[in-house]
Amino acid sequence: MDKQIIKNIIIEKQVAIPNYKLVHRDFLFGDKSNYVLVGLRRAGKSYLLYQDIQTRLNKGEQSAQDILYINFEDERLSSLKAEELGIILDSYMELYPGKHPLVYLDEIQNVEGWEKFARRLADSQYRVMITGSNAKMLGKEMYSTLGGRYIPKEIFPFSFAEYLIYHQVEPCDNWEYNQQVKSIVSNYFDSYFYEGGIAESFEQPDKREYLNALYQKILIGDIVERNNIRNSRVFRFLAKKLADSVMQPSSLTRLQHMVKSTGDTISLPALKDYLEYMQDAYLFFPIPNLVSPMTEQATLQKRYVADNGILNLFLFQGETKLLENMVAIELNRRFRNTTEETLLYYFNKNIEIDFCVPSAQLAIQVSYNLNDEATYEREVGALIKFLKAFPGYHGYIITRDYETQIETDGHTIEVVPIWKWLLQSR
């Protein structure tokens, strides 16, 4: 690898990053801690690296020359191998002899075997931040290689609160009673609801075209090509069917039959691999049934799309699906962790509850509206039965716009519009 190319990249980023226009995201990073940031492509991982760099420069703690930032999606680095990664540090040292840089390695999963280099940097007391678009970067192999030297963090697309801040809207106290502010928030929510929280899409003139290109990049580049999937037609069909059925539990057998109905075949091991690849790329995330046996929890799951903008590519008049998907995204953001412990479930045993969070004792139904009497009886009735069976839980129904408080059988159910619920504190 030519050191001159790497030197050019280092200096280019030292000039460019301090001038990027950013809206602060609420992430705190320790001054001396090393991090691995993972999440959906374009969810904002690089954005947070830029934010960390600008914060340090603005404090006067470091100068631009102290920054060693490398994006491994730069085509000039496409041939770089793991055994050559040390050249990056050598190139920096030739530019700035004696300096001890802050190291930022963006999308490093493109270099197979990167972990040993990352460990060497940590062992040499460099402060390092790494990003990647694959959940396997948080797998057991990483933990064993990096030996606890890095703190893992999952990064999600912009929340609705962050979306408003990006658009310079910061609701004041009791904003929901101010008709003017409420109208502004409502208008921005309409866009967020259909177009999602991928920040790079916010300024695009054709957001749907951008999101479709991003989806194709994730599907083909991050999943099909990286995992050497031979039957991409079956894989595409499976992704589409999962998006179509975000509100419904899908067993492996049911998904296998769906593929078979098209004239193709897929084995159960291959199907499991395909689902794992989508999950590892953060395209979909699963939630199991709280009361299913452990073996069934791994095979019968609801699966949601990581961003409403991507889900909406598949839908026509899909407001009900978009609503439940957005609730799932927010609950995943609030209660997901990076261990193997599951914190978010649905409940299906005689009654159906859309979401359960045992650690917070939350039971949540999602209904676009409650105007229809049959819908009201179904959603409220199921929630009351659940609250009787599980004392101590708090019951919510999240709607598109309707708000009230239901008192029945000694239980209270809060009915909350989603745009208000999204802005409530955790």
Side-chain angles (χ1 to χ4, degrees):
M1 187 73 203
D2 187 350
K3 286 184 180 179
Q4 187 60 44
I5 292 176
I6 295 176
K7 290 176 183 178
N8 288 341
I9 293 173
I10 292 171
I11 292 177
E12 284 173 10
K13 291 300 183 180
Q14 288 175 343
V15 172
I17 292 176
N19 298 311
Y20 288 155
K21 181 182 177 181
L22 303 179
V23 175
H24 184 81
R25 296 191 75 181
D26 191 18
F27 280 84
L28 296 176
F29 298 111
D31 288 341
K32 297 182 180 180
S33 299
N34 303 318
Y35 293 90
V36 177
L37 312 182
V38 295
L40 180 73
R41 177 178 290 275
R42 300 292 178 260
K45 302 181 296 295
S46 301
Y47 193 102
L48 289 172
L49 297 191
Y50 303 155
Q51 178 175 300
D52 187 75
I53 291 169
Q54 288 190 3
T55 298
R56 290 172 172 274
L57 296 182
N58 292 337
K59 287 181 178 179
E61 297 174 352
Q62 276 85 27
S63 70
Q65 291 185 356
D66 294 309
I67 304 304
L68 171 52
Y69 175 99
I70 299 291
N71 184 344
F72 290 91
E73 294 200 318
D74 191 315
E75 76 281 356
R76 292 170 290 181
L77 301 176
S78 59
S79 63
L80 191 66
K81 306 297 181 185
E83 58 269 20
E84 300 176 295
L85 286 172
I87 295 175
I88 293 172
L89 203 55
D90 294 341
S91 300
Y92 177 90
M93 293 304 179
E94 289 179 11
L95 286 170
Y96 308 107
K99 276 190 171 290
H100 195 77
L102 299 168
V103 183
Y104 299 84
L105 306 175
D106 205 353
E107 297 292 350
I108 197 173
Q109 84 281 343
N110 290 334
V111 181
E112 188 173 352
W114 59 271
E115 296 90 345
K116 291 182 179 180
F117 177 63
R119 175 165 179 159
R120 178 158 67 89
L121 288 174
D123 288 344
S124 300
Q125 302 303 306
Y126 288 97
R127 197 264 188 170
V128 189
M129 293 186 72
I130 290 170
T131 77
S133 300
N134 194 293
K136 286 185 177 178
M137 293 182 70
L138 300 182
K140 294 178 181 178
E141 294 81 3
M142 188 212 79
Y143 284 109
S144 62
T145 303
L146 298 185
R149 290 162 174 80
Y150 287 79
I151 298 171
K153 280 186 176 289
E154 290 186 312
I155 308 303
F156 301 95
F158 274 41
S159 67
F160 183 46
E162 290 175 319
Y163 182 83
L164 289 176
I165 292 171
Y166 180 94
H167 290 286
Q168 300 181 341
V169 177
E170 295 190 53
C172 55
D173 291 343
N174 300 315
W175 63 269
E176 63 267 34
Y177 303 106
N178 183 319
Q179 192 56 46
Q180 183 179 3
V181 176
K182 184 177 177 181
S183 178
I184 293 171
V185 170
S186 178
N187 288 338
Y188 274 112
F189 177 76
D190 286 342
S191 298
Y192 182 74
F193 185 67
Y194 292 104
E195 296 165 1
I198 304 293
E200 202 169 274
S201 74
F202 297 165
E203 305 299 329
Q204 297 292 330
D206 190 335
K207 295 179 176 58
R208 187 177 182 87
E209 181 180 43
Y210 169 84
L211 290 169
N212 185 60
L214 173 61
Y215 170 72
Q216 297 301 330
K217 172 61 177 174
I218 295 170
L219 203 72
I220 303 303
D222 291 348
I223 305 178
V224 172
E225 293 180 359
R226 186 165 293 162
N227 295 288
N228 298 312
I229 294 175
R230 296 179 181 178
N231 195 339
S232 62
R233 183 180 65 254
V234 168
F235 187 79
R236 283 177 175 275
F237 172 81
L238 185 61
K240 183 178 185 302
K241 282 300 179 184
L242 289 177
D244 284 341
S245 57
V246 291
M247 298 169 65
Q248 303 300 324
S250 297
S251 67
L252 295 179
T253 303
R254 179 172 179 267
L255 292 172
Q256 189 181 39
H257 287 327
M258 285 183 180
V259 172
K260 188 177 180 180
S261 70
T262 68
D264 283 303
T265 59
I266 186 171
S267 68
L268 284 177
L271 178 58
K272 290 179 182 178
D273 286 343
Y274 284 9
L275 294 174
E276 183 178 336
Y277 297 153
M278 292 182 202
Q279 186 176 336
D280 285 344
Y282 288 93
L283 185 57
F284 292 88
F285 60 93
I287 68 170
N289 187 357
L290 178 63
V291 289
S292 288
M294 288 300 295
T295 53
E296 189 176 289
Q297 284 193 2
T299 58
L300 180 62
Q301 300 175 324
K302 287 185 177 182
R303 295 175 178 85
Y304 294 93
V305 182
D307 184 75
N308 261 32
I310 294 176
L311 172 59
N312 199 34
L313 295 172
F314 298 92
L315 305 179
F316 176 71
Q317 296 182 338
E319 284 77 9
T320 302
K321 292 180 179 179
L322 288 170
L323 180 65
E324 183 164 324
N325 196 74
M326 182 159 283
V327 173
I329 290 170
E330 183 63 20
L331 290 171
N332 195 43
R333 184 198 315 278
R334 295 182 185 187
F335 297 106
R336 182 178 173 88
N337 61 20
T338 53
T339 71
E340 294 183 358
E341 180 185 4
T342 300
L343 300 176
L344 177 61
Y345 301 85
Y346 70 95
F347 183 95
N348 191 337
K349 187 177 181 181
N350 300 322
I351 56 174
E352 296 184 15
I353 302 296
D354 293 326
F355 300 104
C356 290
V357 186
S359 62
Q361 292 195 299
L362 291 176
I364 296 174
Q365 295 285 65
V366 181
S367 181
Y368 199 81
N369 61 60
L370 293 175
N371 296 335
D372 179 72
E373 185 176 348
T375 301
Y376 182 95
E377 293 296 333
R378 182 181 67 249
E379 303 294 355
V380 174
L383 204 47
I384 290 297
K385 288 179 181 178
F386 181 89
L387 295 176
K388 287 180 177 179
F390 295 89
Y393 269 73
H394 306 282
Y396 287 84
I397 298 176
I398 298 176
T399 68
R400 177 59 177 85
D401 289 301
Y402 184 61
E403 182 173 15
T404 190
Q405 189 176 83
I406 299 172
E407 302 277 353
T408 182
D409 287 351
H411 295 279
T412 300
I413 297 173
E414 300 289 342
V415 182
V416 187
I418 186 168
W419 44 265
K420 184 175 181 179
W421 177 75
L422 289 172
L423 296 178
Q424 291 174 342
S425 59
R426 298 183 181 186

